[in-house]
Amino acid sequence: MAANPTIPKHIAIVMDGNGRWASKRFLPRIAGHRQGLEALRRVVAACAERGIGMLTVFAFSSENWKRPTEEVSGLMSLLAFALTKEMPSLQKEGVKLRIAGATEHLSLRVQESLAQAELATAGNQRLLLNICFNYGGRWDIVQAANRLALTGQPITEESLAAQLSLSQGMDPDLIIRTGGEMRLSNFLLWQAAYSELYFSDILWPDFDAASLDEALLAFASRERRFGMTTDQLQAAPNCVAG
Ligand code: IPE
Ligand code: IPE
Ligand code: MG
């Protein structure tokens, strides 16, 4: 079956706006993060239903350590809790989980729950869910360069890309950022080279299947030229990358 080019194979999301969602309700910020987890569950199910094979989400950035200690430790606990609590629904949806980021700087408890979750879902094939945690695009490029230097291989785009933490997957076709900001905040700097960008004012805890469909509709209307001209694309529509 030919792939439908109007449906992205890989979506990446900057799940932003949890804090503002909570503040609007006079709740502590962590309540927004908890509600953000509900949104993630909805979006994972919606992606799986729509045949999207890969979803990469930004859950904690290299820079998020600058937040108040209480919020940072709340986010760490929420991750460990979520991985356990969500396991039955991840298994039911056929989700394979992978963590990208400097996990060696996380507590042993969190590292253990990450490793267990990856192991428990390793055989699933319906949707690959990459969770970027303690992740930064610059961190990723630097760690890839260090690993490449150790191999002694020549530096090429392919050899460097092969050392990135999400190297087993293709670049995202579509990057969605919720919460109204129009920036990448150090997310997937290398892989975003030719991604379509979609910004939504919806705060992440309010994002649902209908919001995803709006993003998919916008994506379907984009012309992805990868440096070529419209005439070239019309002459040979299958010659584009991605
Ligand atoms: C995104 O929501 C989640 C993380 C960065 C962990 P925020 O917590 O950044 O929410 P806002 O941007 O303050 O509303
Ligand atoms: C980006 O959101 C990181 C995550 C969603 C995990 P931030 O809220 O940290 O980004 P800035 O600080 O507004 O750029
Ligand atoms: Mg934010």
Side-chain angles (χ1 to χ4, degrees), residues 12-133:
I13 308 184
V14 180
M15 307 183 291
D16 196 22
N18 295 351
R20 279 163 284 165
W21 184 94
S23 300
K24 273 169 64 176
R25 290 161 178 78
F26 306 101
L27 293 169
R29 293 178 59 88
I30 195 69
H33 297 311
R34 274 193 218 109
Q35 207 57 39
L37 185 59
E38 303 296 318
L40 180 56
R41 189 185 310 117
R42 287 196 295 268
V43 169
V44 165
C47 283
E49 274 166 26
R50 285 153 185 73
I52 293 154
M54 197 181 301
L55 176 65
T56 300
V57 296
F58 204 7
F60 190 89
S61 76
S62 312
E63 291 74 30
N64 287 146
W65 292 105
K66 295 178 198 162
R67 294 193 177 196
T69 321
E70 192 186 275
E71 182 169 350
V72 170
S73 60
L75 284 163
M76 297 292 156
S77 304
L78 186 61
L79 175 69
F81 167 79
L83 290 172
T84 315
K85 181 173 165 263
E86 298 299 324
M87 199 43 67
S89 103
L90 292 172
Q91 300 290 24
K92 186 171 142 262
E93 299 283 355
V95 177
K96 176 175 173 163
L97 205 78
R98 207 166 51 176
I99 312 296
T103 49
E104 67 277 15
H105 299 306
L106 306 176
S107 75
L108 281 180
R109 183 178 72 104
V110 172
Q111 286 188 47
E112 256 166 44
S113 51
L114 297 178
Q116 266 173 19
E118 282 185 334
L119 196 67
T121 60
N124 294 338
Q125 292 189 342
R126 190 158 167 240
L127 174 79
L128 176 58
L129 174 62
N130 298 309
I131 300 191
C132 294
F133 201 92

Side-chain angles (χ1 to χ4, degrees), residues 139-152 160 163:
W139 162 83
D140 202 8
I141 293 168
V142 169
Q143 69 81 28
N146 277 314
R147 289 196 341 194
L148 183 57
L150 288 176
T151 70
L160 187 66
Q163 302 293 341

Side-chain angles (χ1 to χ4, degrees), residues 166-186:
L166 296 169
S167 61
Q168 295 99 321
M170 70 288 248
D171 292 346
D173 302 296
L174 171 65
I175 298 181
I176 298 173
R177 181 170 184 144
T178 63
E181 312 296 355
M182 295 198 202
R183 54 180 173 252
L184 287 175
S185 302
N186 202 9

